[in-house]
Amino acid sequence: MTLKVLIVDDETLARSRLRTLLGECTDPRVDVLGEAGNAVQAMEQIQRGHIDLVLLDIHMPGVDGMALASTLRQMTAPPTVVFVTAYAEHAVQAFELEAADYLTKPVRRERLQQALQKVEKLRAPKDGTDSAMPECLIIQERGRSERVALQDVVYLKAELKYITVRTREKEHIYDGALSDLESRYSHMFVRIHRNALVSRRAVRAVEKHNDPTEGEGWTVRLDGVEERLAVSRRQLAAVRESLMG
C-alpha cells in the first residue's frame, strides 16, 4: 500500500519538516499529494478525493484542526487523521474524533513511521474477509430476515431472553447469547456491564454520575445515541482503555 497524504499546518517550516520526514519513511510507502495552510484549503483538496491520510495541526487561523477532523468524520469515506501538534493536552479529544494517532512536535522519524504503520493497518482489508461484505448479524423480525452490519451497531444489550441490537437509526431484537457475541466479536465490542457490550469505535466518553438510589457510579456516552449505559466498576478499566484506542 502507498498512503496518499495531505499535510495541513499553518507554518511553512512545519509542513516542510513533515514532508522531509515522510520522504525518509519507506514502510509503508508515502506519496504526499499536497499541503494546506488552513482548513478551507485542506477541504478543497480532500473533496477532490484520493487522500488516505491527513497529517493535521490543531491550532490554525480560522477553523482549527479539531473542527476540521469533526467535519471529516461526516464524510462517507473519510481520510484517516493523525494529529501533529505542539500541544499534548488535546490527546483525549483527538481520540474521541477517531484519530489514528497523536504526534507531538518536534516529530521524530521513528514515531512518524509507527503512526504510518498504524494507518496502513487501519485502512487495509482484514485478512480472510471480503472488504465489500462487512461482518453482520442476521436478524429475524416479523417473518423476514434482515442483515445488520456490526460496524453500524452502537451497542448490544441483554433484555430477558433476547438481545437488543441498537444502531443509530433503530433497535432490533436478536435471539442469541451475549457471551457468544462477545467471544466472536471482541475486536469490535467491549463489555461494559454483565448485560451490555458497546462498540469500541462508538465510545465517546466515560462519565461519573450520582444516582439518588444507587449512589455514585459510571456511565458511557456513545456516538449516535442519546441514552447513557451503566458501566460496572469491574469493567471500568477496560472501557477506559477502549476510549484511548
Side-chain angles (χ1 to χ4, degrees):
M1 176 184 290
T2 298
L3 292 176
K4 298 175 175 60
V5 179
L6 175 66
I7 302 171
V8 184
D9 197 304
D10 62 314
E11 297 181 1
T12 303
L13 288 178
R15 297 198 304 269
S16 178
R17 173 171 170 74
L18 269 180
R19 183 182 280 271
T20 299
L21 289 174
L22 288 169
E24 298 173 359
C25 295
T26 58
D27 180 24
R29 291 176 294 176
V30 172
D31 183 9
V32 180
L33 293 190
E35 299 179 9
N38 56 57
V40 173
Q41 294 174 2
M43 280 302 299
E44 290 175 353
Q45 298 189 57
I46 292 167
Q47 288 172 344
R48 295 178 196 142
H50 310 300
I51 301 293
D52 297 315
L53 168 63
V54 179
L55 294 176
L56 181 58
D57 189 20
I58 292 179
H59 292 279
M60 299 185 295
V63 177
D64 68 12
M66 289 294 180
L68 176 57
S70 180
T71 298
L72 294 180
R73 286 182 61 213
Q74 310 307 314
M75 296 176 63
T76 302
T80 302
V81 171
V82 169
F83 284 103
V84 183
T85 176
Y87 302 91
E89 63 267 23
H90 301 293
V92 171
Q93 185 182 358
F95 288 116
E96 288 181 354
L97 293 171
E98 297 183 351
D101 212 334
Y102 189 94
L103 309 182
T104 53
K105 300 175 182 177
V107 178
R108 295 181 295 108
R109 180 180 61 80
E110 294 80 6
R111 186 67 183 86
L112 178 60
Q113 182 77 75
Q114 291 175 3
L116 294 175
Q117 291 171 351
K118 184 181 295 187
V119 172
E120 180 184 40
K121 290 179 181 178
L122 287 172
R123 298 193 68 87
K126 304 300 181 185
D127 293 341
T129 64
D130 182 349
S131 61
M133 184 61 70
E135 295 175 282
C136 297
L137 292 178
I138 304 301
I139 307 292
Q140 307 286 343
E141 288 183 325
R142 301 181 184 89
R144 68 187 181 92
S145 299
E146 181 176 354
R147 188 187 298 272
V148 177
L150 283 169
Q151 65 186 20
D152 296 332
V153 175
V154 180
Y155 69 73
L156 301 158
K157 187 175 182 182
E159 310 270 7
L160 298 175
K161 61 179 181 178
Y162 297 104
I163 294 173
T164 297
V165 178
R166 182 70 161 90
T167 67
R168 289 173 176 81
E169 291 74 31
K170 61 185 295 188
E171 289 185 356
H172 304 271
I173 300 299
Y174 178 75
D175 187 6
L178 199 65
S179 58
D180 290 343
L181 294 175
E182 181 181 23
S183 62
R184 288 161 57 192
Y185 304 114
S186 60
H187 60 294
M188 300 182 70
F189 296 90
V190 60
R191 183 176 287 274
I192 63 167
H193 200 274
R194 64 179 180 275
N195 70 342
L197 306 174
V198 300
S199 167
R200 294 179 181 274
R201 64 190 295 179
V203 176
R204 290 290 161 259
V206 179
E207 302 171 333
K208 185 179 291 186
H209 79 110
N210 285 287
D211 186 277
T213 304
E214 300 180 2
E216 184 177 279
W218 296 86
T219 61
V220 64
R221 177 159 52 89
L222 302 170
D223 186 31
V225 297
E226 291 294 327
E227 63 192 293
R228 305 288 192 265
L229 299 182
V231 179
S232 68
R233 293 187 182 278
R234 182 178 180 180
Q235 303 298 333
L236 185 58
V239 179
R240 283 175 166 166
E241 182 180 346
S242 179
L243 175 64
M244 298 304 296

